Amino acid sequence: MNVPNSPRRTGKPVLASILIIGLASAPSAVRGADYWLAPPGTPANGSTRTQNSWNQPLPWTTSDVQIIIRDNPKGPSDTNVVIHLRTAGLTNLYLMDQLTLPVGDYTARSLVLQAADPPERPVLRYALPAPGTGLFRGPGWQSTLLDLSQTLGRFEARNLILDANWPAWATTNTCANSAYVLGFALRGLSVRALAGLIQNVHILNCGANGIVPLPRYYAVQRECFPLSVEVPSFNFGPNAQPVWIIEDCEISDFHSVRGGYASAILVRTPSPLEAGAHPNVRVAEVRRCQVRGAGNDIALATANSAGISFYDNVVVGTALGMNNDTAREDAPLRNVDLTNNIFLDVNLLANIGVPSRGADASGNYLFTNITVSANTVRLRSVPWRQDYGSYEWRATAVGSYTNWLPVSDPSLPVGRLVPSYAAGLLVGAADRIWFENNRFTTWPVTQFYEPDPAQTNLAVWRPLHRPLYHPVTGQACFHGPHLYSATNRLALWSMDSDNYTLLLGLATNAVAARPPLPTGFVPAGRLGRVEPVYSAGSLVGAFELQVAQPVINGNQVEIRARYVLHRTPIPAVISESPPAVRLSVRRGPNAGQSAIGIWTGDATNRVAVFTYTSVAGAGSDEVVVYRGRVRSTQTRRRGRASRCCGEPPCVSSGPRTWPTTAAAIRACCASAAVGRRPAR
């Protein structure tokens, strides 16, 4: 196929130049009044807002920090505020209330929050709200640890850990408690600034409670944005450079209750008319970040925006790699690229557009000029999805014709399990899409259809899904005429990212379903942290550690683990000496036991065998196999790996009925004999 050059088709060399000279490669450009803070409760020792230093830090209070940002007491005429958070010789925990900006004009203010004693990172943890502070405010309410929604001139955050503290909130009388059914989201960082840098920041323990039942006038369940950046304005021009960088960050440990979900990294930029004249200009870049998902979240997202690049990122275990489904006539979504990322165990690489939004009277589409290129992808499964809606999409007679509409039905079980779908690129109503040089592998065919792995005939996926009707809503899709697909590849075996062959037959309207790859290594357990490998500033691969089903011989438990490399298309020599890999029984009747694996295989595809003695025949062992920070977790229940109680899907040993209540799921877990897939 003759594929015209996409605006960012040769983007990697351009991005490499930015890595060398750009914003994130150099120290902070912000210089101003320096404030040294210590964790709450630290003795003040005479420090004040105007008298503080590295040796005499001011104890953190939210009110003090707000005054420092607003008034800059050390230099009222200076526009820059740099806050250093001390940890050396102190605790690293900053247990804090929500930090917001008082209403005002901050467009001339530059604010920096950074660790004072790197490499140790301070932990900013969201304290539980005091009783009686009005937590139950109704549907759609949310709370953010750092809520910097007033427009700053510049914002930087460096070397921090932001802990939204969902587990603590969920076990107390807050909106995060499962008793609250009107929807709630707990977020990490939301910032609105003309320019900025977020570097080496880890955001964890965000969460979302779903609305139960979800009424039909809510399009989606409650959504959480752990890291949200908005760029309110930008001067587009032929030589404009990115003003926002998010790099080397990590989002993990998201908590979902009743269908609440997350878009882990959300970036929004302006999309004026002049943005269309500069398709190569980028406003913001997200690079070298990691997202470790909970199975029902989105890793990367944007909305109503123009000029965003996502590259050299690693995503593990999310439902969706990237989502672009929000645009308006006055703010179309365009000039976005997703290049040279690794996605492991996702159900869908990327979604572009919405099915019912076609071209306007001038032939323009709301979603246009989007590149999905050179990504390495492993599709996890055709997954279960829990539906808490009080409606479902049905073919409905409307006068003389039939249309798909959301129809309320009080008899629908709340939390019912419905199958979803798996695909590479799902395209709704969008135009000028480049889909090229991506490399796919899948989980084994025997594990791919999550509702019932034995039904391998239903285990199908589509590299490119450009349907006539949306697979969930049934709505007609009004596609643009320009979609370019070329040199996408498929691995020969499941799980591995090598030995590729060309994916042939991906015509611009391809919807043909394909079976998953043949069974090779069959994993069990949940893939945790992986180890990215970089060369000359670009992502060239990632090592992962996966475990297989345990083998039980009397009181001996044998577990095999595989350490394998996933390469990106960028050529690089990657080798290392045999890693020391260990097994640890973290919880359960055999807690405390450990073993060291014995390796076989080559440098980038090794298998280790671990054996430990079970001293108790009942109960569950949570086993972690790890090498440094690379790890995988498995739960062994009475001699087999399983999903934990309370997590669907589980099936009874009788007819295939699917439990929806927590009590029914627990009972099902205790008695199920068939149909259970390996723990994730």
Side-chain angles (χ1 to χ4, degrees):
M1 180 185 299
N2 183 18
V3 181
N5 285 336
S6 72
R8 300 293 284 183
R9 194 176 183 200
T10 57
K12 287 303 294 181
V14 174
L15 300 179
S17 67
I18 293 172
L19 284 171
I20 295 170
I21 66 173
L23 171 69
S25 299
S28 169
V30 176
R31 294 291 181 269
D34 291 292
Y35 295 85
W36 305 87
L37 273 69
T42 303
N45 295 326
S47 61
T48 66
R49 289 193 290 267
T50 57
Q51 297 293 324
N52 55 78
S53 64
W54 190 92
N55 291 314
Q56 192 181 23
L58 176 69
W60 174 290
T61 68
T62 299
S63 58
D64 277 339
V65 174
Q66 287 177 320
I67 292 172
I68 287 170
I69 297 172
R70 183 190 65 194
D71 300 337
N72 196 4
K74 284 190 175 182
S77 62
D78 196 330
T79 60
N80 301 331
V81 172
V82 182
I83 296 176
H84 307 267
L85 303 179
R86 286 290 321 280
T87 55
L90 307 166
T91 177
N92 69 341
L93 178 60
Y94 285 69
L95 190 62
M96 54 178 286
D97 298 325
Q98 181 185 54
L99 177 62
T100 60
L101 294 178
V103 175
D105 182 3
Y106 297 87
T107 53
R109 173 73 75 224
S110 293
L111 171 63
V112 178
L113 293 175
Q114 63 183 19
D117 307 298
E120 185 174 15
R121 292 189 288 179
V123 178
L124 280 63
R125 180 173 295 161
Y126 207 166
L128 290 172
T133 53
L135 296 173
F136 294 90
R137 300 186 181 181
W141 191 65
Q142 61 189 9
S143 190
T144 308
L145 175 61
L146 300 182
D147 190 358
L148 309 178
S149 54
Q150 300 290 316
T151 302
L152 287 159
R154 182 177 178 82
F155 173 76
E156 293 187 13
R158 292 168 171 267
N159 304 315
L160 304 174
I161 297 175
L162 307 182
D163 183 354
N165 205 18
W166 178 275
W169 282 60
T171 55
T172 53
N173 188 31
T174 71
C175 296
N177 192 288
S178 60
Y180 188 69
V181 297
L182 296 181
F184 174 73
L186 192 61
R187 314 193 302 176
L189 170 60
S190 179
V191 59
R192 193 173 195 260
L194 299 174
L197 167 66
I198 300 176
Q199 183 183 65
N200 193 29
V201 174
H202 183 185
I203 299 176
L204 71 160
N205 284 327
C206 298
N209 257 340
I211 302 169
V212 179
L214 182 71
R216 68 174 187 167
Y217 48 83
Y218 276 81
V220 295
Q221 262 295 2
R222 180 60 52 235
E223 185 173 9
C224 172
F225 304 104
L227 173 55
S228 174
V229 168
E230 181 182 359
V231 188
S233 63
F234 180 80
N235 293 322
F236 283 89
N239 299 313
Q241 294 295 310
V243 295
W244 252 103
I245 302 290
I246 302 172
E247 70 172 9
D248 300 315
C249 293
E250 184 175 349
I251 315 293
S252 70
D253 299 277
F254 175 72
H255 301 265
S256 171
V257 179
R258 294 189 302 264
Y261 71 103
S263 290
I265 300 177
L266 172 69
V267 181
R268 291 175 293 169
T269 63
S271 183
L273 180 63
E274 56 265 30
H278 303 288
N280 289 326
V281 169
R282 293 298 176 262
V283 181
E285 296 182 349
V286 179
R287 63 195 188 200
R288 299 198 304 271
C289 295
Q290 290 192 56
V291 177
R292 291 185 284 118
N296 66 334
D297 35 7
I298 298 164
L300 311 169
T302 184
N304 308 319
S305 300
I308 303 175
S309 288
F310 300 91
Y311 63 97
D312 292 340
N313 303 290
V314 176
V315 173
V316 177
T318 64
L320 195 80
M322 182 179 75
N323 190 38
N324 300 310
D325 68 352
T326 303
R328 304 190 310 263
E329 282 76 6
D330 62 337
L333 194 145
R334 53 193 166 184
N335 308 344
V336 175
D337 41 83
L338 183 74
T339 57
N340 199 56
N341 305 281
I342 294 177
F343 297 90
L344 298 176
D345 298 352
V346 299
N347 303 120
L348 179 64
L349 166 60
N351 174 61
I352 299 173
V354 290
S356 57
R357 302 297 296 271
D360 61 17
S362 301
N364 298 315
Y365 284 77
L366 289 183
F367 302 86
T368 186
N369 196 24
I370 298 171
T371 299
V372 179
S373 175
N375 298 288
T376 301
V377 185
R378 183 170 69 204
L379 296 181
R380 170 67 182 84
S381 66
V382 175
W384 274 120
R385 178 176 60 88
Q386 279 195 279
D387 193 336
Y388 291 90
S390 60
Y391 66 94
E392 63 182 359
W393 290 85
R394 295 176 181 171
T396 305
V398 181
S400 59
Y401 64 94
T402 298
N403 197 4
W404 281 82
L405 297 172
V407 177
S408 295
D409 185 346
S411 67
L412 290 171
V414 175
R416 60 195 177 276
L417 294 163
V418 295
S420 188
Y421 52 92
L425 178 64
L426 175 64
V427 181
D431 194 29
R432 296 190 65 79
I433 308 298
W434 282 265
F435 180 57
E436 54 191 1
N437 302 324
N438 299 286
R439 310 196 301 180
F440 290 93
T441 186
T442 71
W443 266 52
V445 63
T446 54
Q447 304 289 317
F448 200 77
Y449 185 66
E450 187 172 297
D452 184 358
Q455 297 191 46
T456 55
N457 60 308
L458 299 178
V460 296
W461 68 286
R462 293 170 172 83
L464 171 61
H465 197 11
R466 201 166 181 247
L468 297 177
Y469 299 93
H470 194 275
V472 173
T473 68
Q475 293 172 290
C477 296
F478 300 96
H479 296 295
H482 307 103
L483 187 148
Y484 309 106
S485 174
T487 59
N488 296 289
R489 290 173 168 82
L490 179 64
L492 293 178
W493 292 96
S494 64
M495 302 302 295
D496 292 348
S497 300
D498 57 10
N499 296 320
Y500 290 101
T501 60
L502 278 175
L503 272 168
L504 302 176
L506 292 189
T508 56
N509 288 300
V511 296
R514 295 172 179 266
L517 291 165
T519 299
F521 174 80
V522 179
R526 179 175 58 85
L527 178 62
R529 189 186 301 272
V530 300
E531 181 183 6
V533 181
Y534 296 96
S535 176
S538 294
L539 179 68
V540 296
F543 282 100
E544 74 162 354
L545 190 60
Q546 286 266 30
V547 295
Q549 289 279 1
V551 176
I552 312 298
N553 293 313
N555 64 348
Q556 295 296 302
V557 180
E558 181 182 284
I559 294 179
R560 291 179 176 269
R562 193 176 69 138
Y563 187 72
V564 67
L565 173 67
H566 299 276
R567 293 180 180 271
T568 70
I570 296 177
V573 176
I574 305 173
S575 62
E576 59 177 54
S577 59
V581 178
R582 292 173 170 81
L583 175 145
S584 174
V585 183
R586 187 162 57 183
R587 298 185 184 92
N590 300 298
Q593 293 206 50
S594 61
I596 298 177
I598 300 174
W599 287 111
T600 61
D602 60 32
T604 58
N605 187 352
R606 302 189 183 94
V607 175
V609 179
F610 303 88
T611 302
Y612 73 92
T613 301
S614 176
V615 298
S620 301
D621 286 339
E622 185 178 70
V623 177
V624 179
V625 178
Y626 61 95
R627 179 223 170 206
R629 301 179 75 190
V630 183
R631 62 188 57 215
S632 186
T633 305
Q634 180 186 92
T635 299
R636 185 185 66 83
R637 177 178 297 278
R638 295 184 179 90
R640 62 180 184 273
S642 69
R643 289 195 72 128
C644 298
C645 284
E647 291 188 71
C650 271
V651 291
S652 66
S653 56
R656 288 195 182 279
T657 57
W658 306 96
T660 57
T661 67
I665 291 170
R666 284 194 295 270
C668 180
C669 278
S671 62
V674 296
R676 182 179 285 144
R677 72 166 176 81
R680 192 168 176 179

